[in-house]
Amino acid sequence: MGHFWTFAAAAFLMASPAAAMQKSAAASPLTKAVTDAVDKHFLDYQEKAHVPGLAWAVVQNGRLVHTGFSGVQNLDTGASVDADTHFRIASMSKAFTALAILKLRDDGLLSLDALAETYAPELKEWRYPTTDSPRIRVRDLLHHVGGLVTDDPWGDRQQPLSEEAFTAMLREGPPLTRAPQLQYEYSNYGYAVLGRIIANVSGQSFDSYIKAEIMRPLGMETTGYEVAETPMEKRALGYRWENEAFSAEPEMAHGAFGSMGGVHTSVNDYARWVSFLLAGWPARDGAEQEPVKRATVREIAQGLNFPRMANRPGLEEADPPCAYPSAYGMGFILAIDCDLGPTLSHSGGFPGYGSNLLLMPEAGVGVFAFANRTYAGPAATVRLAALELERAGFLTGRAVPVSEPLAAAYKAAGAVYRAGDLKPIRKMLAMNFLMDRSEENWALELAGLKRQSGECRTDAPIAANGALTGAFSWRCENGSIEGRLLLAPTTPSGVQALRLSFTPSS
């Protein structure tokens, strides 16, 4: 399939202190060899999955650093996909709804732990499956633990439902598949209810609120919910691949279920959203950026206590395999990938469309893709692209600053090793330190380590993983000494633990 090109975009998406803070000086450059490898994964996927048009992008530190496009947005006209082509992103819309709920919470207009019926009165008449069922909270809907049954693909076809018909549906009430707060189960219906809560609390339609309070402040000028508002020449039409041929999917109008899957956007607009989310990390001093606080952005990564084991999507047969724990946060699935580290992700599937977003917040990098074929699932391809970036050294995490108390304690720890006793650090010890091991025992342990290791250099930097903890490695004649330092939760912060172990040279 033709109409393919890529480019590295040099323009800032968000010229803000938040974006600048995310720079990782140690990250390798995004070379042509890397982008070629990334592009090949997407082109292979497009061919195998029968996708008319595909767009993909890599965002780093507030910049759109790589984009790729292949195929057409309209089979009749042959118009090529580009950075301004609009795709429906289906369930990736849920993150906008979740952030809108959090913004209303921040503004003091609702509580996540309040009963959902507080803001959507129709829920007061819902029937629960057991007499001891807890009533559904706003938080339960955000995390998909409200007891509602999984409703893919039924929920997708509710997209154009009118608000009046949705009110009638809410009054009738759905049968619950289990008592709330027992188990994660993905629910489009639940996010439609969140849309109604946004409308009732804000006093305007959920789409108007999200556009005005979230999308437009981020510069997402053309992103919205009503596809008909996008000119036809900018629209990726949706297609189904069936019986070895493409057929057009009907365009569904915007309706009450749009809060669970109705957003349409372009690469250029969506990259602003991705940049804003990534700018929530790390926690730091400095001015906040609209539309919500950094701490609120980071809150979307908090899952309830319903973790699951998962395999990399589409890569279950990989050798070696990668199985990791995951949980649903708020509009995102959070997981600890074997190679990529902490990730946030979400797919979108819809009649005529498929999409995926993968965020690696510790590296400040996001990868996403849009497709115009029914339930196209580029999740595995997006992850393959991210793994190419990781292998190339592009996903270098941000170093945690070493605090003054930790630096002082580490300097003293080196002196302790060289001296062979605790005298250099004695005034810095927390009250428990010598209760846990005597000074005499420390002298014996240090002497034993020095016999094994030989001379050691104790000037290597300590790697902090918090203001009060860190790890280090000292090179020695006969191997290395691995150490950990832990300060106490006191002012001043005394040393509560120092651990040293010798690893001989292989």
Side-chain angles (χ1 to χ4, degrees):
M1 195 170 288
H3 311 288
F4 165 65
W5 64 97
T6 64
F7 64 90
F12 270 111
L13 289 169
M14 305 174 72
S16 69
M21 279 290 295
Q22 291 212 41
K23 291 185 178 179
S24 177
S28 299
L30 194 57
T31 64
K32 186 176 185 301
V34 177
T35 59
D36 285 349
V38 167
D39 294 343
K40 186 178 187 305
H41 286 301
F42 285 106
L43 293 172
D44 289 348
Y45 165 75
Q46 182 186 20
E47 181 178 359
K48 293 175 183 176
H50 302 286
V51 175
L54 187 66
W56 60 95
V58 179
V59 174
Q60 181 196 37
N61 302 330
R63 292 177 183 264
L64 187 58
V65 296
H66 180 68
T67 58
F69 312 98
S70 181
V72 298
Q73 61 185 33
N74 186 320
L75 287 173
D76 292 331
T77 67
S80 300
V81 174
D82 62 30
D84 293 314
T85 300
H86 271 238
F87 292 79
R88 301 192 90 148
I89 62 171
S91 286
M92 282 159 55
S93 308
K94 288 181 172 68
F96 291 96
T97 298
L99 201 68
I101 290 287
L102 290 174
K103 179 173 174 56
L104 290 167
R105 187 278 316 276
D106 287 353
D107 291 343
L109 297 176
L110 61 75
S111 167
L112 300 188
D113 290 314
L115 298 183
E117 65 197 43
T118 306
Y119 313 110
E122 294 86 356
L123 275 63
K124 291 179 180 178
E125 303 305 319
W126 280 18
R127 297 172 296 280
Y128 285 79
T130 63
T131 57
D132 65 352
S133 294
R135 302 189 75 80
I136 298 169
R137 304 169 299 177
V138 175
R139 186 183 301 277
D140 299 330
L141 298 174
L142 282 169
H143 293 281
H144 296 296
V145 296
L148 292 157
V149 71
T150 296
D151 53 4
D152 284 334
W154 173 88
D156 298 333
R157 296 295 180 177
Q158 310 310 308
Q159 177 72 34
L161 191 73
S162 70
E163 293 293 343
E164 293 76 17
F166 187 41
T167 297
M169 181 184 288
L170 291 172
R171 285 175 177 162
E172 181 179 356
L176 298 184
T177 192
R178 62 176 55 81
Q181 302 172 24
L182 282 179
Q183 181 177 316
Y184 161 84
E185 188 159 356
Y186 191 81
S187 173
N188 292 307
Y189 195 132
Y191 265 73
V193 175
L194 290 172
R196 175 58 64 89
I197 289 173
I198 292 170
N200 288 346
V201 171
S202 70
Q204 55 188 303
S205 64
F206 71 82
D207 55 310
S208 295
Y209 178 83
I210 291 173
K211 285 191 292 185
E213 299 296 329
I214 295 177
M215 293 173 175
R216 299 302 181 257
L218 293 178
M220 303 176 73
E221 295 299 329
T222 64
T223 298
Y225 289 84
E226 181 53 78
V227 174
E229 294 176 355
T230 300
M232 183 62 74
E233 62 270 18
K234 295 291 186 183
R235 212 184 298 171
L237 302 186
Y239 296 94
R240 176 188 303 185
W241 176 257
E242 192 172 65
N243 301 324
E244 301 301 310
F246 288 112
S247 58
E249 288 276 18
E251 287 192 342
M252 287 189 280
H254 171 58
F257 267 60
S259 55
M260 70 83 186
V263 170
H264 65 90
T265 189
S266 67
V267 165
N268 277 339
D269 256 20
Y270 195 71
R272 296 177 182 274
W273 168 246
V274 173
S275 293
F276 168 70
L277 294 175
L278 290 170
W281 284 265
R284 58 192 182 274
D285 296 328
E288 296 281 2
Q289 175 192 339
E290 293 293 334
V292 300
K293 298 179 294 183
R294 290 188 293 273
T296 299
V297 173
R298 295 192 297 271
E299 196 171 349
I300 63 177
Q302 296 178 9
L304 286 182
N305 190 27
F306 296 94
R308 307 172 303 285
M309 290 302 297
N311 291 313
R312 282 178 177 153
L315 304 172
E316 291 84 359
E317 304 303 319
D319 185 19
C322 174
Y324 49 65
S326 69
Y328 200 92
M330 302 180 190
F332 281 101
I333 297 168
L334 48 141
I336 309 296
D337 186 277
C338 308
D339 299 298
L340 304 176
T343 63
L344 297 172
S345 65
H346 212 291
S347 289
F350 202 73
Y353 301 93
S355 55
N356 185 259
L357 169 64
L358 177 65
L359 301 177
M360 290 144 286
E362 289 191 353
V365 174
V367 183
F368 64 89
F370 304 149
N372 62 339
R373 197 220 75 197
T374 297
Y375 297 128
T381 309
V382 166
R383 198 155 300 244
L384 284 170
L387 289 169
E388 293 287 355
L389 301 177
E390 190 274 334
R391 283 190 287 269
F394 190 69
L395 301 183
T396 304
R398 307 178 186 90
V400 177
V402 179
S403 68
E404 290 185 11
L406 186 62
Y410 177 56
K411 183 178 179 180
V416 162
Y417 186 79
R418 294 190 300 272
D421 59 50
L422 294 178
K423 290 178 183 177
I425 206 172
R426 189 178 292 149
K427 292 182 179 180
M428 303 174 67
L429 298 179
M431 54 81 66
N432 68 289
F433 194 93
L434 292 178
M435 297 173 69
D436 299 333
R437 184 189 294 184
S438 69
E439 195 163 356
E440 293 77 16
N441 181 257
W442 266 103
L444 290 172
E445 290 289 331
L446 290 167
L449 281 172
K450 297 181 84 167
R451 283 194 300 271
Q452 291 177 293
S453 65
E455 291 296 318
C456 296
R457 294 193 58 175
T458 60
D459 57 353
I462 186 170
N465 50 30
L468 303 179
T469 59
F472 52 90
S473 180
W474 293 334
R475 290 185 180 180
C476 305
E477 283 184 285
N478 303 322
S480 64
I481 288 181
E482 310 301 321
R484 295 190 62 82
L485 192 59
L486 178 64
L487 305 189
T490 58
T491 303
S493 296
V495 176
Q496 63 168 308
L498 172 63
R499 297 183 176 90
L500 302 171
S501 63
F502 172 66
T503 302
S505 300
S506 56

